[in-house]
């Protein structure tokens, strides 16, 4: 997607918001602010004037009443349209509090819904069934609205008459607005064009008129007859129309989101404008008033965006945790929310004030680290005593990365010269990125959008031996001999919206996860691949389970359900995962994780379609008798982080075991992939230095004969593109049959000025790649962030590929140089609060004294 497309989308968002902002911009009437709206005089009779079923002498005939009501409705519609389209003129600055989140949700939906639409089942029968249900739902709501009015002509019931008239008026209003926006945006439907939903192409997809009409009618019916059953029926039918509008491929999710919201908001306006309260019905306060309400104190469950996985924050907390100053964190489940990080700082402040036995004395390095973390999270610390409301540009940056010589950029088959870079393209020559990110929070709601323009040069086609190797090892047809075109695209990275509901954060959108300790890349989920759309459910704070937590300590559990891209076939596979971690001791963290790929379409004889039965079997590890296996492609992992006792917080031992197919990696150790590591938070006589060392191997001597030659780890017969997203491994770059040994040493000149050196030796076994492969990397990097928020990052890496006969004869060298310049606008505006932040903050008592 090009940058100009993003600009067009933002234009469309502004136009759309203008069509729905009537809920907040409409002038309100009443004696004082907050008073219930007093509607204008209605010509609809009150209950005391209810007439019997048979008309009395002198009463207007049904025809005359119908003619009169029709004329009044037409007049009302014209009046409504004038008010709706002129309502932006009444906007106030305070309306930004609800317009900004609404704009963020709309933008994120438009930019991500094409991939979600393509992920849905596409059979002709499924599409036809969904479309029939959609039309039936609209028809049922229309029949209920019109039927009540026609029936009122016989019963002379004023409430039935008002319900029918208001529902008709709301439907006409919403359809008029929706069709007007549709004519301007001209978006193609999912089954038109290239399926991307391009705007200004003569389509009629955006917004969904069916959804607008359904929610307009449902809003009136649910408020006129506000019992539980009528609401369930009205909103249930409207929801069915919205869902089937997407599943029938008639509309994209964003079309339905905007159409549904538009219809509901128009019905709100019509109801408040025309409803006679003497007839009964529920009160309907303006939605804008709900957004404008402010709490005098902090939100009970504030929404919080997540700290990006490549942030300096994680190494800082890792060092403090290794020194024994952080006990409440779960280091193997990231990203962390910013609110969670702010609470961790409270714990650190308490440890610095009243250190526990065995904790090393505080030094200047620790003090500086804590102060800069307070500076970073000052905004979140302010929410401990005040409202949670923010809008911020988080980052603006650009990076040039140049590679000379032969590089490796296929970790699934060979290896990677540069890894853990969120799936950004990397080829020999000059690679360039430029992007930024913004965030917003309001009460329990939160939003984050990060995106960038990416460029990589073209590359020659793969040689015939390489293509034959890929076909043989992946069991796919020989790839075509075609050069790789240059990449020039706009790419969304982390871009999501969420809500904190009762202490649980529900987040939907493009997200990145890291499910393992250490810095060498988790075996199960890492940031090597790009973010993918998912629903993530994660707790705000760790959980204490009565009785069980006395033994195992506090728990952290989370799960996600997402969709991958870049796989062969007409439909892409789904992926879901669960993780549970606990801390039986303050020095020990242990976790179990599992991910499963399911669905998608490759080979109809071997694929695992996503059905309710298959998902149930996959989720609970049950064997499908027809397939003689658990549906999908599952892998599990256990990981640990242990501060070694008696070492005075100087050594942390961590590691990870990953297994393909087995429910628990520990049951078959010789078949598991292993990644142990050590972390030294400060070296003897070198307090400003720390050191990591890791060894990783995906060679599994316990594998069966049919699992040799790379046909086990990160690979599956049903998913021949492997455990990848857009071709990039989602786990560790050790790959399918490899071994790595690596070490990192860092000099902390200050918390925001670091110098790093690393060494890595990698090997690919000849059992997988004919002749194998072996190479070494030597890297130096420097990072500094000034108080103004301007930062600079530089990298220089020399790689020596001593042997890789399948790719080339002899040895090869390459040099990679990178420089990144960026700006963190909020960094320069936040004042550090130091340990004083804990004095007025709410304390998190989830851990209490549970950890021995």
């Amino acid at each position: 997607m090009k940058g100009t497309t993003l600009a067009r989308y933002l234009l469309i968002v502004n136009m759309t918001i203008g069509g729905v902002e009537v809920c907040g911009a409409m002038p309100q009437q009443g004696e004082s602010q907050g008073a219930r709206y007093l509607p204008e005089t209605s010509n609809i009779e009150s209950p005391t004037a209810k007439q019997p079923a048979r008309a009395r002498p002198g009463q207007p005939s049904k025809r005359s009443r119908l003619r009169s009501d029709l004329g009044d409705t037409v007049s009302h519609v014209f009046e409504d349209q004038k008010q709706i389209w002129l309502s932006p003129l009444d906007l106030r600055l305070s309306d930004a509090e609800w317009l900004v989140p609404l704009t963020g949700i709309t933008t994120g939906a438009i930019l991500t819904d094409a991939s979600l639409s393509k992920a849905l089942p596409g059979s002709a029968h499924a599409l036809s069934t969904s479309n029939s249900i959609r039309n039936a739902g609209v028809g049922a709501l229309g029949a209920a609205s019109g039927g009540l009015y026609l029936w009122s002509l016989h019963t002379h019931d004023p409430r039935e008459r008002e319900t029918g008239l208001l529902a008709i008026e709301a439907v006409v209003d919403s359809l008029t607005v929706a069709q007007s926006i549709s004519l301007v945006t001209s978006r193609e439907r999912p089954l038109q064009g290239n399926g991307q939903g391009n705007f200004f192409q003569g389509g009629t997809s955006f917004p969904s008129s069916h959804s607008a009409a359904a929610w307009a009618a449902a809003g009136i019916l649910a408020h006129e007859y506000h019992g539980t059953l009528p609401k369930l029926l009205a909103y249930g039918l409207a929801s069915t129309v919205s869902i089937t509008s997407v599943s029938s491929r008639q509309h994209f999710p964003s079309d339905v989101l905007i159409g549904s919201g538009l219809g509901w908001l128009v019905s709100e306006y019509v109801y408040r404008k025309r409803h006679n309260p003497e007839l009964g019905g529920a009160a309907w306060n303006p939605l804008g008033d709900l957004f404008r309400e402010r709490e005098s104190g902090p939100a009970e469950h504030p929404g919080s965006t997540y700290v990006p996985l490549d942030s300096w924050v994680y190494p800082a907390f890792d060092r403090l945790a290794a020194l024994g100053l952080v006990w409440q964190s779960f280091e193997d489940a990231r990203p962390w929310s910013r609110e969670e990080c702010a609470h961790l700082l409270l714990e650190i402040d308490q440890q610095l004030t009243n250190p526990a036995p065995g904790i090393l004395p505080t030094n200047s390095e620790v003090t500086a680290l804590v102060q800069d973390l307070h500076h970073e999270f000052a905004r979140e610390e302010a929410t401990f005593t005040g409202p949670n409301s923010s809008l911020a540009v988080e980052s603006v940056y650009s990076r040039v990365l140049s590679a000379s010589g032969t590089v490796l950029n296929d970790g699934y088959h060979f290896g990677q010269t540069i890894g853990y870079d969120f799936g950004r393209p990397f080829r020999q020559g000059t690679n360039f990125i430029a992007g930024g990110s913004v965030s917003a929070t309001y009460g329990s709601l939160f939003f984050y959008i990060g995106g960038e323009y990416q460029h990589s040069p073209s590359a020659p086609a793969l040689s015939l031996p390489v293509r034959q190797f890929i076909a043989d090892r992946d069991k796919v047809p020989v790839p075509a001999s075609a050069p790789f075109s240059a990449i020039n695209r706009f790419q969304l990275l982390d871009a999501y919206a969420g809500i904190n509901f009762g202490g649980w954060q529900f987040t939907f959108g493009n997200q990145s996860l890291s499910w393992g300790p250490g810095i060498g890349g988790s075996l199960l989920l890492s940031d090597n691949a790009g973010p993918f759309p998912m629903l993530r459910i994660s707790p705000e704070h760790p959980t204490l389970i009565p009785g069980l937590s006395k033994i195992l300590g506090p728990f952290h559990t989370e799960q996600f359900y997402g969709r991958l891209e870049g796989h062969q076939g007409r439909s892409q596979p789904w992926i879901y995962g669960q993780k549970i971690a606990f801390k039986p001791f303050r020095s020990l963290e242990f976790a179990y994780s599992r991910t499963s790929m399911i669905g998608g379409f490759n080979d109809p004889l071997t694929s695992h379609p996503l059905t309710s039965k298959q998902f149930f079997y996959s989720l609970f590890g049950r064997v499908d008798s027809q397939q003689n296996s658990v549906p999908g492609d599952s892998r599990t992992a256990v990981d640990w982080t242990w501060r070694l006792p008696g070492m005075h917080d100087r050594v942390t031992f961590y590691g990870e075991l990953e297994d393909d197919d087995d429910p628990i990696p520990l049951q078959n150790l010789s078949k598991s992939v292993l990644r142990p590591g050590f972390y030294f938070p400060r070296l003897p006589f070198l307090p400003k230095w720390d050191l990591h060392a890791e060894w990783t191997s995906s060679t599994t001597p316990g594998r069966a004969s049919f699992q040799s030659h790379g046909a086990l780890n990160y690979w599956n017969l049903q998913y021949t593109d492997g455990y990848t997203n857009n071709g990039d491994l989602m786990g560790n770059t050790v790959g399918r049959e490899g071994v790595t040994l690596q070490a990192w040493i860092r000099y902390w000149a200050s918390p925001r000025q670091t110098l790093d050196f690393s060494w890595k030796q990698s090997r690919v076994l000849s059992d997988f790649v004919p002749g194998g492969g072996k190479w070494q990397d030597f890297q130096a990097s420097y990072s500094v962030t000034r108080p103004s928020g301007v930062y600079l990052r530089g990298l220089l890496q020399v790689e020596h590929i001593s042997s890789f006969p399948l790719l080339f004869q002899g040895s090869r060298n390459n040099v990679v140089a990178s420089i990144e310049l960026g700006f963190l606008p909020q960094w320069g505006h936040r004042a550090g609060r130091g340990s004083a932040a804990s004095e007025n903050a709410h304390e998190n008592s989830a851990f209490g004294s549970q950890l021995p």
Side-chain angles (χ1 to χ4, degrees):
M1 186 184 298
K2 297 182 179 180
T4 54
T5 305
L6 175 63
R8 289 183 178 181
Y9 282 175
L10 292 176
L11 173 62
I12 291 162
V13 168
N14 290 332
M15 295 170 56
T16 305
I17 299 303
V20 299
E21 61 195 3
V22 60
C23 70
M26 202 69 66
Q28 306 299 318
Q29 300 179 19
E31 295 179 1
S32 62
Q33 184 177 1
R36 192 175 75 168
Y37 174 80
L38 298 177
E40 62 186 31
T41 303
S42 174
N43 62 354
I44 299 176
E45 301 155 12
S46 66
T48 58
K50 182 177 179 180
Q51 303 294 325
R54 188 171 296 182
R56 293 180 299 183
Q59 189 177 33
S61 65
K62 294 181 180 180
R63 179 175 298 178
S64 62
R65 289 172 63 89
L66 184 62
R67 186 184 300 111
S68 174
D69 289 340
L70 178 60
D72 289 341
T73 300
V74 171
S75 176
H76 290 163
V77 167
F78 277 104
E79 181 182 343
D80 296 342
Q81 292 299 310
K82 177 181 177 182
Q83 186 63 60
I84 289 173
W85 293 108
L86 292 180
S87 61
L89 300 177
D90 297 320
L91 285 174
R92 295 168 290 177
L93 184 60
S94 60
D95 289 306
E97 295 176 349
W98 64 272
L99 275 174
V100 169
L102 181 59
T103 303
I105 294 175
T106 306
T107 302
I110 291 176
L111 293 173
T112 60
D113 59 8
S115 60
L116 296 178
S117 181
K118 289 181 179 180
L120 298 172
S123 66
H125 176 71
L127 297 180
S128 176
T129 301
S130 294
N131 195 42
S132 298
I133 295 174
R134 178 178 78 123
N135 292 328
V138 173
L141 287 167
S145 303
L148 279 172
Y149 172 71
L150 293 177
W151 184 246
S152 73
L153 296 178
H154 173 71
T155 63
H156 304 284
D157 188 319
R159 188 176 186 183
E160 293 173 354
R161 177 173 172 239
E162 181 188 81
T163 302
L165 287 174
L166 296 189
I168 293 171
E169 180 181 343
V171 168
V172 173
D173 278 334
S174 62
L175 287 176
T176 302
V177 176
Q179 289 296 323
S180 299
I181 297 175
S182 178
L183 288 174
V184 176
T185 58
S186 302
R187 189 185 197 186
E188 291 180 328
R189 293 181 182 269
L191 297 178
Q192 292 178 325
N194 59 7
Q196 293 298 315
N198 295 322
F199 288 85
F200 312 115
Q201 299 297 320
T204 58
S205 184
F206 185 87
S208 169
S209 296
H210 278 68
S211 298
W215 283 91
I220 299 297
L221 294 172
H223 281 79
E224 288 281 8
Y225 298 92
H226 56 95
T228 301
L229 182 59
K231 283 186 175 180
L232 287 175
L233 290 174
Y235 288 135
L237 281 172
S239 299
T240 300
V241 171
S242 297
I243 293 171
T244 53
S245 292
V246 176
S247 62
S248 64
R249 299 279 186 91
Q250 294 297 314
H251 291 282
F252 292 99
S254 64
D255 305 335
V256 169
L257 172 67
I258 297 302
S260 302
L262 180 66
W264 192 80
L265 293 173
V266 167
S267 68
E268 174 210 347
Y269 164 68
V270 170
Y271 184 83
R272 290 190 294 107
K273 182 75 172 178
R274 312 290 180 199
H275 170 62
N276 184 354
E278 295 181 1
L279 299 179
W284 196 339
N285 295 322
L287 183 62
D289 287 354
L290 299 179
F291 281 98
R292 296 188 188 100
E293 288 181 357
R294 285 182 171 272
E295 297 181 5
S296 56
E300 181 179 2
H301 298 293
S304 177
T305 58
Y306 290 95
V307 179
L309 290 176
D310 59 351
S311 171
W312 75 280
V313 164
Y314 295 112
F317 274 118
D318 285 345
R319 195 177 195 206
L320 293 172
L323 294 173
L325 294 174
V326 181
W327 296 341
Q328 297 185 15
S329 66
F330 282 87
E331 300 178 33
D332 54 7
R334 294 173 176 172
W336 298 341
S337 72
R338 295 184 62 86
E339 190 77 15
E340 180 181 359
C341 292
H343 279 273
L344 292 179
L345 286 174
L346 299 183
E347 177 192 5
I348 295 173
D349 289 342
Q350 294 169 1
Q351 293 300 322
L352 295 178
T353 304
N354 300 299
I359 300 299
L360 292 175
T362 304
N363 56 31
S364 59
E365 286 77 28
V366 170
T367 302
L369 207 58
V370 173
Q371 287 179 346
D372 272 24
L373 285 171
H374 276 298
H375 192 168
E376 175 73 31
F377 297 105
R379 180 177 66 198
E380 285 66 36
E381 291 177 338
T383 66
F384 295 159
T385 55
N388 182 35
S389 179
S390 68
L391 174 63
V393 176
E394 296 290 348
S395 65
V396 180
Y397 59 88
S398 63
R399 183 186 76 181
V400 177
L401 188 151
S402 180
S404 63
T406 302
V407 299
L408 304 174
N409 57 9
D410 185 355
Y412 183 52
H413 296 108
F414 307 113
Q416 293 183 226
T417 299
I418 296 294
Y420 311 108
D421 197 28
F422 300 95
R424 293 181 174 109
F426 170 71
R427 294 174 181 167
Q428 182 178 346
T430 301
N431 304 263
F432 174 77
I433 63 173
S437 59
V438 297
S439 70
T441 60
Y442 190 87
S444 59
L445 302 175
F446 56 96
F447 313 90
Y448 186 95
I449 298 179
E452 61 188 28
Y453 167 79
Q454 300 174 345
H455 165 77
S456 277
S458 59
L462 300 176
S463 66
L464 179 59
V466 170
R467 291 186 286 114
Q468 290 176 334
F469 158 77
I470 292 175
D472 178 63
R473 291 296 187 262
D474 294 355
K475 295 178 173 55
V476 297
V478 177
S481 176
F484 296 91
S485 302
I487 296 175
N488 294 282
R489 68 190 184 193
F490 175 83
Q491 189 76 10
L492 277 179
L493 297 180
D494 283 277
Y496 53 82
I499 184 172
N500 187 330
F501 185 77
W504 289 84
Q505 293 219 141
F506 293 78
T507 316
F508 179 79
N510 279 9
Q511 298 173 77
S512 302
L513 300 177
S514 177
W515 277 8
I519 62 176
S522 169
L523 294 171
L524 200 62
L525 283 171
S526 73
D527 57 4
N528 187 63
F532 56 89
M534 70 173 73
L535 169 65
R536 182 190 181 198
I537 305 172
S538 179
E540 180 182 5
H541 299 297
T543 304
L544 289 178
I545 301 177
L548 191 60
S549 289
K550 291 184 177 180
I551 302 174
L552 297 178
F555 283 77
H556 172 92
T557 179
E558 65 177 69
Q559 56 187 312
F560 73 90
Y561 302 87
R563 189 77 179 219
L564 302 178
E565 296 180 345
H567 289 246
Q568 299 295 320
R570 295 176 305 194
S571 181
Q572 300 296 297
W574 297 87
I575 183 172
Y576 67 87
Q578 302 87 27
K579 186 177 187 73
I580 181 169
F582 51 91
K583 278 195 167 184
F585 305 101
R586 289 171 171 170
S587 59
L588 176 64
E589 176 183 336
F590 191 82
Y592 170 82
S593 309
R594 177 174 181 256
T595 66
S596 295
M597 296 170 58
I598 192 170
F601 179 88
N602 194 353
D603 183 346
L605 298 179
T606 60
S607 63
H608 295 158
L610 181 58
T611 64
S612 56
K613 174 184 175 182
Q614 297 279 57
F615 178 75
F616 178 83
Y617 278 24
S618 172
L619 185 64
F620 293 99
R622 295 188 57 184
V623 175
D624 187 338
S625 58
Q626 296 180 349
Q627 299 174 348
N628 196 30
S629 69
V630 176
D633 179 22
S634 297
R635 45 188 45 84
T636 58
V638 294
D639 59 75
W640 64 90
T641 302
W642 185 28
R643 289 190 295 110
L644 298 183
M647 299 298 291
H648 303 290
D649 301 314
R650 291 190 180 273
V651 183
T652 298
F653 173 53
Y654 61 88
E656 189 177 6
L657 275 173
E658 186 266 345
D659 194 315
D660 194 285
D661 294 330
D662 292 328
I664 302 176
L666 296 174
Q667 73 185 67
N668 196 348
L669 290 176
S670 63
K671 182 171 165 283
S672 298
V673 179
L674 178 63
R675 184 177 72 98
F678 286 92
Y679 176 47
F680 302 87
R682 49 184 165 189
L683 303 180
F685 309 109
L686 298 172
K688 289 180 176 286
W689 297 77
D690 65 5
L691 172 69
H692 280 87
E694 293 183 13
W695 179 81
T696 308
S697 173
S698 60
T699 63
T700 51
R703 64 183 183 271
S705 58
F706 67 90
Q707 297 170 327
S708 60
H709 307 301
L712 175 60
N713 299 309
Y714 294 149
W715 186 86
N716 185 274
L717 180 61
Q718 284 75 39
Y719 302 98
T720 55
D721 290 299
Y723 192 60
T724 64
N725 182 43
N726 278 322
D728 297 305
L729 277 171
M730 293 187 291
N732 192 285
T733 58
V734 68
R736 291 159 70 175
E737 291 288 350
V739 180
T740 65
L741 177 63
Q742 50 194 331
W744 304 261
I745 187 169
R746 165 170 286 189
Y747 172 68
W748 295 80
S750 71
R752 304 308 304 270
Q753 184 178 6
T754 57
L755 180 63
D756 296 84
F757 302 94
S758 68
W759 167 82
K760 180 179 181 181
Q761 178 174 283
S762 303
R763 182 163 60 96
V764 176
L765 299 189
S766 56
D767 173 74
F768 175 48
V769 178
K774 187 176 181 180
W775 66 98
Q776 288 186 327
D777 298 298
F778 304 88
Q779 185 183 107
S781 61
Y782 174 74
S783 176
V784 60
T785 302
R786 306 304 302 165
S788 62
V790 175
Y791 72 85
L792 174 69
R793 297 172 185 168
L795 176 147
L796 179 65
Q797 175 178 293
V798 178
E799 183 172 71
H800 174 63
I801 308 176
S802 56
S803 174
F804 224 130
L806 179 63
L807 300 181
F808 45 79
Q809 296 299 319
S811 63
R812 297 288 178 91
N813 296 315
N814 68 68
V815 178
V816 177
S818 170
I819 185 168
E820 179 177 332
L821 183 65
F823 178 48
L824 308 173
Q826 295 299 310
W827 174 257
H829 298 305
R830 299 174 191 156
R833 298 180 58 184
S835 60
S838 62
E839 295 179 2
N840 299 319
H842 293 279
E843 295 192 11
N844 176 17
S845 59
F847 279 68
S849 58
Q850 297 295 324
L851 299 180

